[in-house]
Amino acid sequence: MPRFSRLLPLPTLLFAACGPHRTPGTAAAPAAAVAARCSSGPSIASRADEPTTGAEAAAVFDSAWSIIQRTHWDTTYNGVNWRQVRTDLRPKAEAARTRGALRAVLSEMVGRLNQSHFALIPQEIADAAPSTSAANRSGGSLGFDVRWLDREMVVSRVDTGGPAWQAGVRTGWVLEAVGPCPLASRLASLPAHTDARMTSLDAYRATMQALAGAEGDTAQLQFRDGRDARRTLAIVQGTPPGTITKYGNLPAMAAQLSWSRVREDGRTIGIIHFNIWMPILSAQFDAAMDSLRSSDAIVLDVRGNFGGVGGMSIGIAGHFLDSAIAIGTMHARANTTNFLANPRRVNTRQQRVTPFAGPLAIVVDELSVSTTEIFAGGLKAIGRATIVGSQSAGQALPATPERLANGDILYHAVADFISPNGKPVEGEGVIPDRVTPLDRRSLVNGRDPALAAAIRWAAQQAPRRPIP
């Protein structure tokens, strides 16, 4: 059974935003209808209303409960009386008469554990074809990313040449409404958290849910620009950047990696950014390292990287470690696995090389999750990397998906992960050595404080090369 650590941006995968705002020319709807559409709800072909019998629902519930009973690494179940959970919720499952009602019960069940990496993925989402063709109208991209800053959703990145860029959107703008739906009202309905990182994660997920659409759909978006002037733009969803990939029975996703060089204080700094830990990016990362191997220092920008295949972390770590050092340990119920770095001895042309030994900075934020935290936390703990940015999510439980009898996927954690310093990554996450959060004013002025700080640190650490 494959095991990997990953946090899915589940609301983005499970639900999409209200449909009519994505189609130009839609007539204004009555206020009640607008409110209903703005609450949330699936726009893809949902199977939530399909009927089920009490016996079928109870069988699916029993199966899901037993999977966790059998695989949870902590026999105290995080302090939850797991047998009592079954007693409490099985009658509700038997009473369910639709898939949607049963899903609500199962979601409540895994929610009782109050841990990351437990979720239910509907069959129609998990089995969606990994295609970006216009004919199939798979998920599109508006070409910008956002972050929750000072209680507003601020544009943190715009793909140069993408739909948002072509429409004039720039970093630092505030996203205020999607179609007829004010974003503030959607975000105000989110649960309250004492941990600001959870608030940020929830806000991001809700916003991505609102922005979801298929290629060719048009989103009517209202922004406040860098001078606080309101602008309403119609932006057509484009092809997602990167490569669409699918792993096992998880939903299709877009994997993207890019690299570049910058000069800082006379040094050359290589920068690699990637958004997810998927095997399809391994060869691209190797190629990036081949291109950047002569750099004086490397910066890895993994902000907003939600995780992926946990085993990839030891391969990527091997580009920066010359021995098989453990970057952490995974503790399952029946076994313990050391994550030993795999030093890279050859390049993509099968020529002998040594792992990169220069300064390494890793940029993280509150949306750096799961395998990203395992990797960054491990390299920090053994002193190989300096971490820059803001504290990561603290959601790093290795997990696996299993299909239930009704076709839905139960995504559930099967292990805890301990950093080389003996601390669990779950909860605290990775605390930067240099705390450099984003702020709207810097973004409006075209600056990225966290990336700039990482580049500056890397240049300061790199030895100046002798003048020939």
Side-chain angles (χ1 to χ4, degrees), residues 107-269:
S107 295
E108 182 179 353
M109 180 186 74
V110 298
R112 293 279 184 96
L113 291 167
N114 195 28
Q115 291 178 311
S116 69
H117 291 71
F118 285 91
L120 190 73
I121 305 173
Q123 181 182 21
E124 57 271 30
I125 299 294
D127 293 346
S131 169
T132 59
S133 70
N136 290 335
R137 289 175 55 77
S138 293
S141 170
L142 293 168
F144 69 92
D145 204 356
V146 291
R147 289 295 186 274
W148 180 245
L149 303 177
D150 294 329
R151 303 187 62 77
E152 293 185 309
M153 198 50 78
V154 179
V155 176
S156 59
R157 178 188 55 77
V158 184
D159 295 337
T160 304
W165 179 270
Q166 292 174 355
V169 178
R170 296 295 181 264
T171 58
W173 287 25
V174 176
L175 179 61
E176 294 197 321
V178 181
C181 311
L183 202 57
S185 60
R186 176 185 286 267
L187 300 180
S189 65
L190 297 175
H193 298 289
T194 55
D195 189 333
R197 294 172 299 169
M198 284 302 301
T199 302
S200 180
L201 270 170
D202 280 352
Y204 181 82
R205 290 164 170 164
T207 303
M208 291 299 104
Q209 172 186 338
L211 293 172
E215 285 186 69
D217 285 348
T218 298
Q220 302 285 344
L221 306 180
Q222 179 178 301
F223 296 93
R224 213 169 67 243
D225 69 14
R227 296 183 177 180
D228 283 335
R230 285 195 164 80
R231 300 195 189 195
T232 299
L233 302 174
I235 305 177
V236 179
Q237 299 264 7
T239 302
T243 306
I244 301 299
T245 185
K246 190 166 172 40
Y247 193 89
N249 50 19
L250 290 173
M253 57 200 82
Q256 183 182 15
L257 184 147
S258 61
W259 72 85
S260 60
R261 294 183 186 82
V262 297
R263 292 284 292 174
E264 175 79 12
D265 193 25
R267 278 80 163 181
T268 299
I269 313 298

